[in-house]
Structure formats: structure tokens, C-alpha cells
Amino acid sequence: MVNLKFWFLLAILSVFLCKSSAVESDAIESVLRRLHSKEAPPIVQESAAKGVLQRLLPAHLHSFEFKIVSKDLCGGRSCFRITNYKVSSRNSPEILIQGTTAVEITSGLHWYLKYRCGAHISWDKTGGVQLASVPKPGSLPLVEADGVTIQRPVPWNYYQNVVTSSYSFVWWDWQRWEKEIDWMTLQGINLPLAFTGQEAIWQKVFLDYNITTQDLNDFFGGPAFLAWARMGNLHAWGGPLSQNWLNIQLALQKQILSRMRELGMTPVLPSFSGNVPAALKKIFPSANITRLGDWNTVNGDPRWCCTFLLAPSDPLFIEIGEAFIRKQIEEYGDITDIYNCDTFNENTPPTDDPTYISSLGSAVYKAMSKADNNAVWLMQGWLFYSDSKYWKSPQMEALLHSVPRGKMIVLDLFADVKPIWKSSSQFYGTPYIWCMLHNFGGNIEMYGVLDAVASGPIDARTSENSTMVGVGMCMEGIEHNPVVYELMSEMAFREDNFQLQGWLKSYSHRRYGKVNDQIQAAWDILYHTIYNCTDGIADHNKDYIVEFPDWDPSGKTGTDISGTDSSSQNRMQKLAGFQWNRRFLFFEKSSSLPKPHLWYSTEDVIKALQLFIDAGKELSGSLTYRYDLVDLSRQSLSKLANQVYLDAISAFRREDAKAVSQHSQKFLQLIKDIDRLLAADDNFLLGTWLESAQNLAMNSDEKKQYEWNARTQITMWFDNTKYNQSQLHDYANKFWSGLLEAYYLPRASIYFELLSKSLKEKVDFKLEEWRKEWIAYSNKWQESTELYPVKAQGDALAIATALFEKYFS
């Protein structure tokens, strides 16, 4: 009888979930129809797609014909269709690409170039495009007689993290944004976050509430820290923002949104999360405004910390939220119904009462819907992972069901490593987007989980009662690991499982423009090592060169540095898991040695590097090859440096001064050698980052401020005292030539000098003295303005070969 009851209840639940899923599906279809009505006219989209082609392959502008078609021709879904052009004449196009939007057309163009012409498209910073394999106009390869039709299995391909705007986009002008939007549309991205210039909108809104310019100077962060000021983590740090900045960024946003709309994309605009200037509390003393706790300052400095949050339950919240969206519509037009809001992200509500949570969620949505009655709330689902102790089933369900059906979409932000859809009954019937997070801090580290990327979205979409409506890329920083991003982008069009190793062979062929047995063997190794991280630890580059340990090397705390003891490994696994429970909260314990994340055999990867170097005879002229060679060499040498550092500490504990000196010198020489290697490729230069910051300045004061912002973000990040470094120091570390020699090398030198001195004088290592010296150096470096090269110097293959022989032969 008990079993019968169980199966009866299960059957009822199954029927309920099916009906719920059907309701959500109808609601999403309704959203899609409304968004379709906001798209640019077909002739505008076709012209925009032609513009992408002209910038990519100007000689082939007349080789392709583009045509917008209705979804009826694609079984009711978004799709592209590639066929041979029927008219045969000397000057007629060769290939016809049809699509339901310009994004589908350009996705079809990319698909054709990849799988018919062997071409490859990646960011300029990762080697750029390989188009040499594309035949000349008049000789393009034909497709099969009935053409190629690819449908999207889910409607949306989402792009960006709320912090990508600071780690990667902050210094971009329109020229760089145009390239990015071209890349986005070729990858099939049709739902991009569009956060640029929002401070100018907020200025207009808050001026209506008698908030002064001076009040906003204390509210907005500096250019490189805007993402965290927007989220209420900090205020004023790196600021103030000049009126020049506000005006230029607003104009830039209008260009970005105009191009996105021309291409048939649906931009996701920001909405109000409750973060307000301190002055609002004085103007509205009865409003429910609370001051939040400290977020990663060294000593709770009120100049930067403890921002103010207007409760969603307060009527003023809805009023301000409505005003913000109306201002955006006034400036940009009626271009979207989808708005991002993360009120509860790393901000735990005061009670876990589901009724209270539901009322908060309802208020957040009401602030959107009063300005746009078709508004859809897009929310990052990070909180369900980062604060899982709070967000249990009742709390999650209360929030997710606090808005009408189909009016919320959740980003399963970390699905490549920690998918929430599996443990939440598909977000309790709420539509969600399967996302790959992949990168933290914009670090340069070869890393990936290709198997999860290739199978995860398909498994989620085909699971029972699936509510998945898209795939997405939510990395904190871009322009690295091109193989991961090409694969993830392609998952927007992959309906069935496919053979990943075969795809990688095709990838290596396309990336370098020719088949090379050594390269293919190397990529097979990389697939099974670097790009096969299965330990569940989110990667953040903690290599000792770029995040030098801040600890007592004497081992008085009992820290095991051998890395072989299983209990020590378990402790480090737990520590790593704790550190990444919250994306922006990264604490380093001075009482224990932080271990860099290592999930593969370095010996195997060195074999792959040897194969890469051997392939240089044939591929040395390829920019994509050079980028990968430099990156793989850098990765191998940095892992070697980790072991050299541990050898130095072991020698210190043995009081072997000679060995300490030898290992220290080898570590410092590795920094110099890696810097020289990175200098041989344009894509690993500090100078270009600093130059891009300076180029946005309109006067000398802005130039100084922007450069300080750029230097500070990649080094100390946040505030510090004389003896206490920022809690976020090195979070955004970079393997860039110039930064290694000018910043990481002096820091390590100071440390090793003190290490040797303590042995020589037979005294304890002076940790405070080390901190004082390197913090002072860091502060000075952040303020400095010396120039660094913006063009590569040296032969990358020759340098990589010499370093391989020096360190690995």
C-alpha cells in the first residue's frame, strides 16, 4: 500500500511538473514574440550582417547573399540555412545564407567558414583570425544540393558576467566594441548583457531626487571598479567619475545598443537592485535604508566600505526602480524587455521566512514592470551556490515564484562545474540558462572542462521536465583559452552529442590553417590534461609568481609543503572549496601556504610543449600558433616555478643557506625568462592595457586617474595599510610582460633577500618587514607612470625553444 501511495504521488507530481513546464514554455514563446517585434527591420539586419562580412572578408563581400526569413521556414525555431546560390553568372554570389535574424545569418557564415573553408575566428588577443584557408572569390566550396540547415535547440545564447565590464571592457572605445560585437554575432550570441554607461543614467535619476554631484562622487567607483560599485560592494574607490567619462560612456552605450539591435540581438539592460548613495538616507530619513557590512577592506574603512541598501519592501524602491528603467527607455528607445537584477547576490536577507522573501522578489519585479509592463527579470543564480546554507528549497522556491510565470529567467552561472539545475527540480519550473563561468579575475591560465561543456547543455536540455531556455558564457574576464569559448559558443547550435576528440582535431586544423601531426598529438594531450579538470575546484591562478605567498616560511604552523601527504591535500581541497564559495571574497591565510591549483600531469604537458615546438618549423608564421606556443610555454614554466619555490622553502627549513640561494635565484630567473617570452607576443603585454586606459583620458588629471585604476586593479586591487595588503591583492593577476619584471620580480626579490638574511643572522623570518617593504613598493608602482612596450620584441619560437632546452631537456 505504501509503495502504491508513493507511485501515485509521484505520478501526480510528474503531471504537475509537465503542466508547469508547458505553462513556462508558452510564457517564453510569448516573450520571444514580443522581443521579435522590437527587432530592426529585415533590410536593416541584412545590411548589418553584410557589414560584419565586409569587416571580416572584404574581398568576399559579393560572394555571399544574405536573407532574413521567418521562423516558419525553420519549424518555428531560430535557424540558419546555407545553400548554393541558384543564379549562375560571372558576378553573382556563390553562397546564400538565410536566417531568422542577422545573428543567425552571421552564425551561418561562421559555420560555413569553419566547416567548408577550414577557417578560424578568435579574439585578436588570442591570435585573431585564420582566414588564409578561405578560397578566393569565385572558388568557394559548394555545400550539398539540399543545403545545410541548423536550428537552435534553445532560444538564447547569453554573454557576459556583471564583472566582465570591469575586468575586460573597461578601457574599450567604439573601435574595440565593434570588433567584439562582430565576434559575438559570429558566435551566435543573441542575448548580451549591456551595462556600459549606466552611471550617466543614474546621474539623471538621482539628480531628480536632489542628490548632488558631490554625493555621486562618493557613490560611483572609479572606471576599473564600477562593477563592484554597481553591486554595492564598495563606493568611491578609484573615483570620482568625471563628467567626460559619464558623457563618453553614455554615447558609447548608444552605439553598442544600436549595433546590437541592427543585428537582431536582445540586449539585457541593468535595473535597480537597491544600491543607493548615502545622501538618500538624509533626504528620505523614514525610508528603509540600511548600511551593509564591510566587503573586503582591510579595516572597515568607511571611505570605501559599507554601502547603503534601500529595501525592496520600501515604496521608494519601486519608485526609483521605475524611474531608472524609464530613463533608459527615454535614452535608448524601446529595445528590450529583459533586465538584470541581483539584489540578493552575496547579500543575505535578514530572515529566511519564505513569505518575506516572496514579498521582496515581488517588489523587485514591480519596480521593473511599472516602467515596462512586459519586463522579464534575468537573475544570476550564483547565490544558490555561494550561499547555499541560506537558499534551501523553501527560500529558493519563494524567490523564483515571486514573479508571474515566464517573467523570470535564471542564469545557472556555474553549471560547467556546479550545476544547480540538477538539485533544484530545474529551478522549480523557472526557465534557466545553462552557463559556463570558467574564468575568475581575468587571470591568464590555460584551463577548461571540455567534456562538461560538450555534454552539459545537451544533458540539461534533454532531461525530464527541462526548463532550460539557453546557453551562456559568464566568465569574469575574456581573451584567453580560445578553444573553450569556441566550443561553448557552438553549443548554442548543437542538438545532439558529438565526438569531442574529432572536433578537437578539426579545431587544431582550422586554428593553424593546416593539418600537422605533431600539433594534433599535442592537442590530444592537452585535451586529457589541461582541458580535463574534473576535481570540481573552480580555477583561479594562484601560481607563486603572480600570487606570492604571504606566510611564515618557518613552518611553525605545521604546514606540509611537500604536497604528497594525503591529509594535506585534503586540507587544501577544502580550503580551495571554501575560498570559492563566494566569487569576490577571496581570503588568504598567512598561517598556511596557499597551493596553486594543479589538476594534471605536468610531465605530460611538457611532452605537448615539445610537440608544439617541433611543429614550429611548419607553423611559425601563424599568429594563432605563436599565441598558443607562448601560452603553453608560460604555463609550463610557471608550474616549474611553483616547485622551485617549494624547494627554496624546504631548504630554508633545513637551514641550507646555499640551497636557498640557488633555488631563489632560479625562481627569479624564471620570472625574467617568462617575461622575455611574453614580450615576444603582442597579446601578453602590460603596455597595451595601460595605453588603452590613457587613451580614454581627456586631460592630464584623467590620464593619471585612469592609469592608477588600471595598475591597481591588476595588482593590489583594493585598499591596504602599511602592514596589511589588500584582501583582494593579486585577485586579477596577469601574466603580462612588463608586469612580471617590474612588479612580481621586485616583490619576490624582497622576500628571498629577507629569507637569506634570517638564515644568515639566525633570526626568525620578519613577516611584517616583508609586508611593509612590498606594500610600499606596490603603492609606489600603482602611482607611477613609466611606459612599457606596446609592440612585441623577439622571436617567440626561438625564445620558447631556448627556454625548453634550458629548463626541460
Side-chain angles (χ1 to χ4, degrees):
M1 179 63 74
V2 174
N3 285 339
L4 285 174
K5 285 183 177 180
F6 171 78
W7 288 112
F8 178 70
L9 291 172
L10 188 64
I12 291 175
L13 179 61
S14 178
V15 170
F16 171 78
L17 289 173
C18 285
K19 286 184 177 179
S20 175
S21 181
V23 169
E24 292 293 350
S25 179
D26 290 343
I28 291 299
E29 282 301 319
S30 178
V31 171
L32 291 169
R33 285 194 295 272
R34 287 196 304 272
L35 292 173
H36 176 66
S37 69
K38 298 175 188 289
E39 292 172 2
I43 191 171
V44 173
Q45 293 194 53
E46 290 164 1
S47 177
K50 277 284 186 181
V52 175
L53 173 61
Q54 186 167 26
R55 289 184 290 277
L56 182 68
L57 280 168
H60 291 73
L61 183 61
H62 302 294
S63 299
F64 295 89
E65 180 72 13
F66 296 156
K67 185 70 176 175
I68 296 289
V69 295
S70 74
K71 287 185 179 179
D72 294 339
L73 274 70
C74 301
R77 289 196 277 173
S78 296
C79 79
F80 59 79
R81 178 168 169 75
I82 309 167
T83 57
N84 304 316
Y85 197 74
K86 302 300 183 184
V87 180
S88 176
S89 68
R90 186 177 178 183
N91 297 318
S92 68
E94 301 169 73
I95 300 295
L96 170 65
I97 303 179
Q98 299 168 299
T100 47
T101 65
V103 172
E104 312 309 321
I105 289 174
T106 51
S107 299
L109 172 65
H110 189 197
W111 195 276
Y112 174 81
L113 293 175
K114 281 202 293 190
Y115 294 116
R116 285 299 188 275
C117 302
H120 171 75
I121 295 166
S122 69
W123 290 297
D124 285 354
K125 281 280 189 181
T126 55
V129 298
Q130 185 290 111
L131 299 172
S133 59
V134 179
K136 293 179 180 180
S139 304
L140 290 179
L142 299 177
V143 297
E144 46 265 40
D146 56 350
V148 176
T149 300
I150 303 290
Q151 294 178 314
R152 286 186 189 265
V154 283
W156 285 305
N157 187 357
Y158 174 81
Y159 183 52
Q160 290 181 42
N161 188 301
V162 292
V163 303
T164 320
S165 56
S166 290
Y167 282 133
S168 294
F169 305 159
V170 54
W171 311 120
W172 286 6
D173 55 14
W174 169 243
Q175 184 180 21
R176 178 61 187 87
W177 261 111
E178 184 174 53
K179 284 188 174 183
E180 188 69 10
I181 297 171
D182 283 355
W183 179 88
M184 288 160 56
T185 191
L186 289 162
Q187 306 296 332
I189 292 161
N190 59 6
L191 190 67
L193 203 62
F195 267 28
T196 302
Q198 63 178 278
E199 283 68 31
I201 303 293
W202 277 119
Q203 182 187 50
K204 296 173 188 290
V205 170
F206 283 130
L207 284 175
D208 290 342
Y209 287 88
N210 298 317
I211 301 292
T212 67
T213 300
Q214 187 58 45
D215 294 331
L216 291 178
N217 286 344
D218 186 55
F219 179 59
F220 296 141
F225 303 97
L226 285 177
W228 300 276
R230 291 165 180 169
M231 291 186 286
N233 301 135
L234 54 82
H235 64 98
W237 179 252
L241 294 180
S242 68
Q243 195 61 46
N244 285 335
W245 174 273
L246 295 171
N247 294 342
I248 290 170
Q249 292 296 300
L250 180 60
L252 180 59
Q253 172 75 333
K254 290 179 179 180
Q255 287 180 290
I256 292 168
L257 293 175
S258 177
R259 180 60 56 79
M260 286 178 174
R261 182 173 180 271
E262 289 170 3
L263 288 164
M265 296 178 182
T266 297
V268 178
L269 292 177
S271 63
F272 182 47
S273 64
N275 182 31
V276 294
L280 196 74
K281 190 170 179 62
K282 297 177 182 178
I283 297 171
F284 296 93
S286 61
N288 186 2
I289 299 174
T290 56
R291 190 157 199 181
L292 299 177
D294 180 32
W295 184 88
N296 278 333
T297 61
V298 170
N299 56 6
D301 193 329
R303 291 178 298 168
W304 330 119
C305 90
C306 313
T307 56
F308 290 86
L309 184 73
L310 174 62
S313 56
D314 194 291
L316 188 60
F317 182 101
I318 296 172
E319 184 182 319
I320 292 175
E322 178 186 2
F324 178 63
I325 288 181
R326 288 196 184 279
K327 287 287 186 186
Q328 289 188 106
I329 294 173
E330 286 176 21
E331 289 287 341
Y332 310 140
D334 184 15
I335 59 172
T336 189
D337 290 329
I338 303 185
Y339 304 92
N340 169 258
C341 185
D342 295 309
T343 295
F344 308 104
N345 194 41
E346 300 187 2
N347 176 28
T348 305
T351 173
D352 62 1
D353 179 9
T355 303
Y356 176 76
I357 293 169
S358 182
S359 68
L360 292 185
S362 180
V364 170
Y365 179 71
K366 188 175 181 180
M368 299 178 194
S369 60
K370 283 198 74 175
D372 180 350
N373 60 5
N374 293 318
V376 176
W377 177 2
L378 181 83
M379 182 184 73
Q380 292 190 141
W382 176 260
L383 70 169
F384 301 134
Y385 166 71
S386 67
D387 199 4
S388 58
K389 288 185 178 179
Y390 175 89
W391 293 101
K392 302 294 186 185
S393 295
Q395 290 73 32
M396 282 183 68
E397 201 165 357
L399 178 59
L400 295 172
H401 291 172
S402 65
V403 302
R405 291 283 188 182
K407 298 296 186 179
M408 176 183 280
I409 301 170
V410 182
L411 300 176
D412 197 355
L413 204 74
F414 203 16
D416 53 325
V417 177
K418 303 289 184 183
I420 301 298
W421 68 267
K422 291 183 178 181
S423 58
S424 64
S425 299
Q426 305 265 353
F427 291 97
Y428 302 101
T430 303
Y432 74 96
I433 293 176
W434 192 104
C435 295
M436 175 189 77
L437 209 167
H438 184 260
N439 175 271
F440 293 86
N443 295 164
I444 296 172
E445 171 86 292
M446 295 179 75
Y447 157 83
V449 283
L450 294 185
D451 283 334
V453 169
S455 62
I458 295 171
D459 292 344
R461 180 178 53 80
T462 58
S463 63
E464 189 174 6
N465 302 316
S466 176
T467 56
M468 177 180 157
V469 293
V471 296
M473 296 184 288
C474 297
M475 62 287 116
E476 290 193 353
I478 64 167
E479 299 179 318
H480 49 76
N481 291 287
V483 65
V484 176
Y485 292 90
E486 177 158 335
L487 178 62
M488 187 64 237
S489 297
E490 201 169 296
M491 296 311 296
F493 300 98
R494 287 283 183 179
E495 190 133 13
D496 303 307
N497 290 311
F498 59 100
Q499 215 278 324
L500 185 54
Q501 282 185 282
W503 185 91
L504 279 169
K505 284 185 178 180
S506 170
Y507 171 85
S508 67
H509 177 188
R510 290 184 285 104
R511 181 153 171 81
Y512 312 119
K514 58 182 69 174
V515 174
N516 181 284
D517 292 341
Q518 293 155 320
I519 283 289
Q520 289 200 346
W523 268 104
D524 187 59
I525 294 173
L526 296 180
Y527 165 55
H528 289 99
T529 53
I530 285 176
Y531 292 112
N532 185 38
C533 182
T534 58
D535 59 16
I537 297 176
D539 191 59
H540 185 280
N541 195 325
K542 295 174 65 65
D543 287 344
Y544 295 138
I545 288 176
V546 293
E547 186 174 321
F548 203 80
D550 174 58
W551 75 308
D552 182 352
S554 67
K556 291 179 179 178
T557 59
T559 305
D560 177 9
I561 66 167
S562 69
T564 58
D565 179 69
S566 60
S567 61
S568 174
Q569 280 190 324
N570 288 336
R571 285 197 302 273
M572 290 311 303
Q573 296 260 341
K574 289 176 182 177
L575 175 62
F578 168 75
Q579 288 167 339
W580 285 112
N581 252 355
R582 298 176 77 83
R583 174 176 27 172
F584 305 107
L585 302 184
F586 178 71
F587 298 103
E588 182 179 285
K589 304 289 186 182
S590 60
S591 61
S592 62
L593 176 64
K595 293 278 189 75
H597 182 201
L598 186 61
W599 62 98
Y600 60 86
S601 163
T602 54
E603 291 182 3
D604 287 344
V605 170
I606 289 169
K607 292 175 185 174
L609 177 57
Q610 176 72 76
L611 290 165
F612 251 88
I613 289 172
D614 292 344
K617 298 169 186 175
E618 186 178 1
L619 300 176
S620 60
S622 164
L623 294 178
T624 47
Y625 165 78
R626 186 178 72 184
Y627 172 87
D628 290 346
L629 172 67
V630 170
D631 203 20
L632 184 56
S633 299
R634 172 211 56 76
Q635 180 107 348
S636 301
L637 291 167
S638 66
K639 302 310 174 193
L640 173 63
N642 292 340
Q643 187 55 52
V644 172
Y645 172 84
L646 295 177
D647 291 342
I649 299 303
S650 293
F652 175 81
R653 291 185 180 179
R654 298 193 309 270
E655 298 184 8
D656 187 339
K658 183 178 179 181
V660 167
S661 177
Q662 289 174 340
H663 295 309
S664 300
Q665 290 305 310
K666 185 174 182 179
F667 187 90
L668 298 177
Q669 187 59 49
L670 273 162
I671 297 178
K672 295 176 185 177
D673 285 340
I674 296 173
D675 190 281
R676 185 165 61 96
L677 170 73
L678 298 173
D681 191 286
D682 290 330
N683 305 305
F684 295 94
L685 303 179
L686 168 65
T688 53
W689 168 256
L690 299 181
E691 184 184 61
S692 63
Q694 296 162 1
N695 287 345
L696 281 189
M698 301 295 287
N699 54 54
S700 59
D701 287 341
E702 288 179 359
K703 186 175 181 179
K704 182 178 179 181
Q705 180 195 14
Y706 296 175
E707 182 166 0
W708 183 90
N709 269 252
R711 287 169 174 259
T712 300
Q713 188 207 83
I714 59 176
T715 53
M716 194 60 80
W717 207 108
F718 209 4
D719 71 335
N720 58 266
T721 63
K722 189 175 183 180
Y723 292 102
N724 294 289
Q725 69 273 23
S726 163
Q727 294 193 64
L728 292 171
H729 74 89
D730 298 316
Y731 182 93
N733 64 64
K734 301 290 189 292
F735 268 100
W736 283 343
S737 177
L739 190 59
L740 268 74
E741 186 115 24
Y743 188 80
Y744 299 134
L745 179 64
R747 176 171 64 180
S749 298
I750 294 169
Y751 184 88
F752 285 129
E753 285 172 9
L754 290 174
L755 207 65
S756 295
K757 182 180 178 183
S758 67
L759 281 182
K760 183 178 180 181
E761 298 177 358
K762 300 186 184 301
V763 295
D764 289 341
F765 180 79
K766 292 181 171 54
L767 187 61
E768 280 207 347
E769 184 178 339
W770 136 250
R771 287 175 177 166
K772 177 184 175 184
E773 286 198 42
W774 94 256
I775 291 171
Y777 180 83
S778 181
N779 291 339
K780 181 181 177 182
W781 189 85
Q782 290 163 233
E783 295 279 358
S784 59
T785 57
E786 70 270 23
L787 298 176
Y788 294 90
V790 294
K791 293 294 181 184
Q793 301 170 352
D795 182 328
L797 177 58
I799 295 171
T801 302
L803 293 180
F804 186 93
E805 292 174 354
K806 179 177 181 179
Y807 290 107
F808 300 125
S809 290

